[in-house]
């Protein structure tokens, strides 16, 4: 068994902390816009138990607590579970979404914002959410819309997909369709629910900063780009900048970001 290299471990830790900070900086204001719709879909708290799975900073857990829920915030990455001041969410637990440290039927509501592109097996995720939910409980999921509705994330995704063969990008693209996600929930035994779209406008300094910031903040996009040979990386960047020019006005970019909030009953 190779001995762990402490310098490599330290390097990886620093990279994950840096990427977590970039994620908060770039995506935080956008993902924050879906929180009211998610809390609305969860219904009144009144002391009931909610889980925020794949919680990141725990902004959703905080919004659920504000609505009267008792809330557990779970994420598999300790680096992601930090607010901009480095403070972890209250009741934060490092745990995998596919093996939640939660007793069967203990939760009234399970929420997950922008987790689904990161999980390989959606069927297993839906089954785990059902296991921890009480009968009649609700699942509330948010995810990005596709390139047409949400060019902020979708345009870089679409351009990169032309250069990188990546299961992660394919997964992210197909899961921008709420019907795909709804089908997994139905197969797991959830009953049909609701879908709400949330749109925001993101302003960025330039097309170059749009590309650079998204790649710094998104581990999936960065991994796909780095899997390409250097000339393809440069070609993808050029193709993106050409496509992004239509969102620019006097240099600055103004582009739509859209997400859907899907909820269903157990
Ligand atoms: C795109 S971020 C979303 C963070 C936060 N929910 C938000 O809306 O800003 C996805 C989060 O899911 C976490 N994650 C990915 N796979 C996971 C898994 N299998 N179990 C638990 N957390 C996971 C990541 O560490 C990351 O914090």
């Amino acid at each position: 068994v190779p001995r762990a290299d402490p310098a490599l471990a330290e390097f990886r830790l620093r990279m994950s902390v840096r990427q977590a900070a970039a994620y908060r900086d770039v995506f935080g204001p956008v993902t924050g816009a879906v929180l009211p719709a998610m809390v609305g879909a969860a219904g009144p708290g009144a002391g009931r138990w909610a889980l925020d799975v794949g919680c990141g900073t725990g902004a959703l857990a905080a919004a659920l607590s504000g609505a009267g829920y008792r809330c557990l915030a779970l994420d598999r990455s300790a680096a992601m579970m930090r607010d901009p001041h480095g403070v972890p969410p209250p009741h934060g637990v490092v745990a995998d979404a596919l093996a939640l440290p939660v007793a069967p039927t203990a939760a009234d509501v399970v929420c997950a914002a922008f987790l689904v592109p990161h999980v390989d097996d959606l069927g297993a995720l839906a089954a785990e959410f059902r296991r921890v939910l009480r009968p009649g409980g609700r699942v509330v999921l948010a995810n990005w819309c596709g390139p047409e509705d949400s060019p902020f994330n979708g345009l870089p995704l679409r351009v990169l997909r032309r250069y990188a063969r990546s299961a992660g990008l394919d997964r992210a693209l197909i899961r921008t369709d709420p019907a795909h996600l709804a089908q997994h929930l139905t197969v797991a035994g959830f009953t049909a629910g609701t879908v709400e779209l949330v749109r925001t406008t993101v302003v960025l300094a330039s097309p170059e900063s749009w590309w650079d910031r998204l790649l710094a903040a998104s581990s999936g996009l960065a991994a796909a780009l780095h899997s390409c040979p250097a000339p393809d990386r440069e070609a993808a960047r050029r193709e993106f900048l050409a496509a992004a020019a239509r969102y620019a006005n006097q240099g600055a970019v103004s582009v739509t970001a859209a997400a859907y909030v899907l909820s269903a009953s157990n």
Side-chain angles (χ1 to χ4, degrees):
V1 178
R3 278 161 50 107
D5 177 343
L8 184 61
E10 171 64 19
F11 173 75
R12 287 203 173 119
L13 178 65
R14 269 196 276 130
M15 288 305 285
S16 64
V17 168
R18 188 193 289 183
Q19 189 156 49
Y23 176 87
R24 285 193 291 274
D25 188 29
V26 174
F27 289 109
V30 189
T31 56
V34 304
L35 299 182
M38 292 191 80
V39 174
R48 299 188 304 149
W49 273 101
L51 308 182
D52 174 7
V53 184
C55 62
T57 59
L60 173 57
L64 288 163
S65 299
Y69 280 95
R70 289 183 282 173
C71 201
L72 208 58
L74 307 110
D75 200 292
R76 73 174 173 191
S77 160
M80 288 294 285
M81 288 175 67
R82 292 281 182 277
D83 77 5
H85 309 289
V87 179
H91 309 297
V93 179
V94 175
D96 195 301
L98 298 181
L100 296 168
V102 175
T105 73
D108 297 291
V109 176
V110 175
C111 297
F114 306 97
L115 169 70
V116 294
H118 300 273
V119 177
D120 288 342
D121 188 343
L122 271 192
L125 185 71
E128 180 63 351
F129 285 180
R130 258 204 107 201
R131 181 187 72 78
V132 298
L133 267 176
R134 67 163 170 83
R138 271 188 102 59
V139 63
V140 182
L141 306 175
N143 195 26
W144 298 107
C145 295
E148 296 305 326
D149 291 322
S150 186
F152 167 64
N153 57 295
L155 184 60
L157 188 58
R158 184 151 68 189
V159 170
L160 258 177
R161 182 64 195 86
R162 287 171 31 76
Y163 290 87
R165 238 184 253 140
S166 153
L169 292 192
D170 291 346
R171 204 168 54 215
L173 269 169
I174 196 162
R175 291 175 185 181
T176 58
D177 179 0
H180 178 82
L181 199 50
Q183 197 188 348
H184 279 281
L185 293 181
T186 306
V187 168
F190 287 99
T191 54
T194 59
V195 179
E196 184 178 341
L197 290 189
V198 179
R199 286 192 181 78
T200 51
T201 300
V202 183
V203 177
L204 297 129
S206 64
E208 287 81 0
S209 120
W210 180 2
W211 178 253
D212 293 343
R213 298 190 77 206
L214 249 71
L215 280 156
S218 162
S219 51
L221 291 181
L225 185 70
H226 288 295
S227 73
C228 298
D232 283 3
R233 274 184 242 161
E234 193 42 45
R237 182 181 160 85
R238 273 200 308 272
E239 184 177 324
F240 172 81
L241 294 179
R246 62 184 271 236
Y247 299 95
N249 186 4
Q250 297 185 330
V253 163
S254 177
V255 61
T256 301
Y260 62 87
V261 174
L262 177 70
S263 66
S265 292
N266 185 20

